[in-house]
Amino acid sequence: MAREKLAQAKADAAKRGQLPRREPRRRAAGPRRGGGDPQLFGRAIADLLADRGWERPAAVGGVFGRWADIVGADLAAHTKPESFDDGEVLIVADSTAWATQVRLLARTLVRRLNEELGDGTVTKVKVRGPQNAPRPSGGLRVTGSRGPGDTYG
């Protein structure tokens, strides 16, 4: 009876175009591990990152952590990467001169970062200079003024 059912199932599959395999299945090379067997630590972390979709954020964090190795000690002493969002890396410089230098090196930085992260990951480098510059003061400044428009109005 079981053989008749199996023959019937194969005939139905053949009608649908889903023929069973003719050749035996091959085993994967190497030792097989069960679900409870210990794994190498690096492999377990890689599997966790892949399962959670954290591969790219982890790679970006690795690049941010190795910033001095990637861009060089001189540039790293005056700049730091702040964020990565949609292919855009925001770099903060400690002076306007270094911000200008990073802007001039933007294409080279994009190429270098893509070597580390994979092609097309970084599309743009955005640079921000120092935010807390000293405000000019002196006898000609009026508290609450809006600049030259106040004196001609």
Side-chain angles (χ1 to χ4, degrees):
M1 177 111 162
R3 286 187 182 151
E4 291 174 7
K5 291 293 183 184
L6 178 62
Q8 181 63 34
K10 285 183 179 181
D12 291 342
K15 287 178 187 174
R16 291 190 308 258
Q18 299 173 341
L19 296 174
R21 293 179 173 221
R22 296 286 183 213
E23 69 276 352
R25 293 185 183 199
R26 295 181 184 175
R27 285 189 47 192
R32 293 184 53 104
R33 294 180 187 253
D37 287 344
Q39 295 182 9
L40 297 173
F41 184 72
R43 183 69 193 161
I45 294 296
D47 289 346
L48 175 69
L49 293 175
D51 290 344
R52 303 283 173 108
W54 295 340
E55 293 160 320
R56 180 169 285 174
V60 170
V63 166
F64 283 12
R66 296 181 297 115
W67 184 248
D69 297 334
I70 293 170
V71 300
D74 291 337
L75 191 61
H78 299 282
T79 62
K80 85 173 191 185
E82 187 165 289
S83 66
F84 175 80
D85 190 31
D86 292 331
E88 183 175 287
V89 176
L90 175 63
I91 298 174
V92 178
D94 62 2
S95 70
T96 55
W98 281 103
T100 302
Q101 183 68 23
V102 173
R103 285 184 189 100
L104 293 172
L105 293 172
R107 285 188 180 176
T108 305
L109 282 174
V110 168
R111 182 183 50 80
R112 182 68 180 102
L113 292 171
N114 280 332
E115 287 174 5
E116 293 288 326
L117 297 170
D119 284 336
T121 304
V122 177
T123 57
K124 184 178 180 183
V125 171
K126 189 174 181 180
V127 183
R128 190 176 73 203
Q131 296 295 308
N132 297 329
R135 296 192 53 86
S137 61
L140 300 177
R141 299 280 302 167
V142 177
T143 305
S145 72
R146 294 187 313 245
D150 285 349
T151 60
Y152 300 113

